[in-house]
Every structure is written in C-alpha cells, then in structure tokens.
Amino acid sequence: IGLVVSVDRFGDEWMGYILRISGGYDLQGFCMMQGVLTNTWVRLLFADGMPNYKMRRAGVRKRKSVRGRIVDSQLSVLDLVSMKKGDAEIPGLTDNTQPRRLGPCG
C-alpha cells in the first residue's frame, strides 16, 4: 500500500500513467491494512479510532482479521489511484468527468 507504479507494460493506452496502490481485498474478502508488514492474515485487536473498525459500545475492543500490505497473487481486488495522467484517454475511465456527489453547495 502506498507504492507508486508505472503501468506502461499494460498496453499502449496506459503509456505515461502512474498509479498508487491504495488498498485491496484478498480472495476471502479480508481487507489490506497499512502498517501490517506481511502478505498473510493477522488478527489484530481493534479499538476506537482505528481504521476498519466502528465501535458499537463504549470501551469495547474487537479482534479482527486483516491482510498485510504486501501485494501478491492471493489478492482479488487492488485499489489504485491515478497520480499522473498519461498521453491518451482511456475509454470509460478518463474520457469523462463525474460531478462530485458530496461537496460544498453553491
């Protein structure tokens, strides 16, 4: 997570694009978590204010399984953020702009 990669090898339409890995899920549905330096599952004790956990009652902690931040072949979803736009437009991805659904009014 957080690694910036060049995606020129995906094809000619991806030339010049630079993407940042922002997360993902493995084949069983466990989410990747920043700061866990492994490519397997880890059971962490979550408390209030930690990512991937919503506290239901005051003072309650919960042990949850998360996946480490290292990318390997066991991932089913990889979340990417475009850092730099390339030369050509990619149909359905960069050729149109979507209005912000939640933003300042006016």
Side-chain angles (χ1 to χ4, degrees), residues 55-99:
M55 188 173 67
R56 306 284 186 211
R57 298 176 67 177
V60 175
R61 298 182 299 171
K62 184 174 183 179
R63 191 168 302 277
K64 289 181 65 176
S65 294
V66 294
R67 184 174 179 80
R69 63 179 242 165
I70 298 175
V71 176
D72 65 354
S73 63
Q74 296 296 315
L75 294 177
S76 62
V77 176
L78 193 61
D79 299 332
L80 301 170
V81 175
S82 177
M83 300 297 289
K84 180 180 173 233
K85 189 174 179 182
D87 305 329
E89 298 283 340
I90 298 175
L93 186 64
T94 61
D95 58 350
N96 57 0
T97 59
Q98 297 288 330

Side-chain angles (χ1 to χ4, degrees), residues 14-79:
W14 291 93
M15 291 300 280
Y17 280 86
I18 295 177
L19 303 176
R20 179 176 52 87
I21 300 172
S22 62
Y25 295 90
D26 66 357
L27 295 171
Q28 286 75 26
F30 293 106
C31 63
M32 295 174 73
M33 186 171 179
Q34 180 75 24
V36 180
L37 300 175
T38 181
N39 61 351
T40 58
W41 300 327
V42 178
R43 291 191 49 87
L44 297 177
L45 188 61
F46 284 82
D48 187 29
M50 294 181 70
N52 304 330
Y53 177 66
K54 181 178 179 183
M55 188 173 67
R56 306 284 186 211
R57 298 176 67 177
V60 175
R61 298 182 299 171
K62 184 174 183 179
R63 191 168 302 277
K64 289 181 65 176
S65 294
V66 294
R67 184 174 179 80
R69 63 179 242 165
I70 298 175
V71 176
D72 65 354
S73 63
Q74 296 296 315
L75 294 177
S76 62
V77 176
L78 193 61
D79 299 332

